[in-house]
Amino acid sequence: GAVVSQHPSRVICKSGTSVKIECRSLDFQATTMFWYRQFPKQSLMLMATSNEGSKATYEQGVEKDKFLINHASLTLSTLTVTSAHPEDSSFYICSAARTESNYGYTFGSGTRLTVV
Amino acid sequence: TQLLEQSPQFLSIQEGENLTVYCNSSSVFSSLQWYRQEPGEGPVLLVTVVTGGEVKKLKRLTFQFGDARKDSSLHITAAQPGDTGLYLCAGGSYKYIFGTGTRLKVLA
């Protein structure tokens, strides 16, 4: 149980275009999902907290107009990188917890974004 | 701001050796988690420690939560090449912050 699916696993896009990444909880409901960014050989940095039915909460320094988050249902959150630039190239990972669980989060397998 | 510092950052050892990874903070955490991440994949939860002084064992891995719940350690006995990966501690009551990471390489 507790499977989180992330799609796509890899995407290459041209500079200036937008890319949408999906995060789905397959066998449980998640009122909250989290989006992380990871640069090569570094740890995960929390970008934002996605709340079902309400606006996302962004961490300091993360541009909310650039990284649009939508959490329209209890099983799906999306992250859209708008007007992507090469410096947005990174590994993006989502995580989710069962609504009733207090122990750890399940992570998606990540999305490798390359902006050319 | 809560920070989690891990040490060492990098560790390269021979198969069969033992090792310990540390996760330290000046803040108190209600719980800490340990994850292992392989290249191109998301982190996979290894264990959650909740009680100060708690020790949990997972086969050759032993996890300890400090009495004051500000630090934790991961000890691996007789490391194997399959243990190679990025080890991350994480903590927080709602949104998790991750430690700086320890990259382990076990040579056959």
Side-chain angles (χ1 to χ4, degrees):
Chain A
V3 176
V4 173
S5 172
Q6 196 171 333
H7 179 80
S9 58
R10 291 178 178 271
V11 58
I12 300 173
C13 71
K14 290 186 177 180
S15 199
T17 61
S18 295
V19 174
K20 181 185 282 188
I21 302 169
E22 292 187 348
C23 180
R24 293 180 184 273
S25 56
L26 296 185
D27 53 356
F28 66 100
Q29 293 184 331
T31 54
T32 303
M33 293 185 178
F34 301 90
W35 287 95
Y36 292 85
R37 184 173 182 175
Q38 186 177 32
F39 290 106
K41 302 191 178 185
Q42 293 188 23
S43 186
L44 279 71
M45 290 189 60
L46 180 63
M47 297 175 66
T49 303
S50 172
N51 302 298
E52 187 267 335
S54 64
K55 291 183 179 180
T57 305
Y58 291 83
E59 295 300 301
Q60 193 172 11
V62 177
E63 299 175 61
K64 62 180 180 181
D65 294 330
K66 180 166 188 61
F67 299 100
L68 300 179
I69 291 173
N70 185 284
H71 195 154
S73 77
L74 284 172
T75 58
L76 174 64
S77 175
T78 60
L79 167 67
T80 301
V81 183
T82 63
S83 187
H85 291 285
E87 56 265 31
D88 298 325
S89 298
S90 189
F91 193 54
Y92 293 88
I93 309 174
C94 68
S95 72
R98 290 178 181 272
T99 305
E100 70 280 8
S101 172
N102 292 319
Y103 300 106
Y105 290 86
T106 302
F107 285 81
S109 54
T111 297
R112 170 76 58 196
L113 170 64
T114 303
V115 184
V116 297
Chain B
T1 302
Q2 293 180 318
L3 292 173
L4 285 168
E5 294 283 343
Q6 284 182 241
S7 62
Q9 271 189 295
F10 303 97
L11 194 55
S12 181
I13 61 172
Q14 293 292 325
E15 182 177 6
E17 292 184 2
N18 302 330
L19 66 115
T20 302
V21 177
Y22 300 93
C23 174
N24 295 296
S25 175
S26 58
S27 304
V28 175
F29 286 87
S30 57
S31 67
L32 277 181
Q33 291 75 41
W34 283 94
Y35 293 84
R36 186 172 80 192
Q37 184 184 24
E38 303 204 16
E41 299 288 332
V44 175
L45 178 66
L46 295 174
V47 78
T48 299
V49 285
V50 179
T51 307
E54 181 178 6
V55 176
K56 279 191 174 180
K57 290 194 175 184
L58 185 66
K59 297 184 180 178
R60 294 178 292 102
L61 278 60
T62 302
F63 304 85
Q64 186 163 6
F65 200 12
D67 291 339
R69 291 185 289 133
K70 291 183 178 182
D71 56 89
S72 182
S73 64
L74 157 61
H75 182 79
I76 300 179
T77 304
Q80 298 176 0
D83 296 327
T84 294
L86 177 65
Y87 288 82
L88 296 160
C89 62
S93 57
Y94 173 60
K95 57 182 182 182
Y96 287 177
I97 60 165
F98 277 83
T100 47
T102 295
R103 195 165 295 277
L104 170 66
K105 187 170 185 178
V106 182
L107 305 170

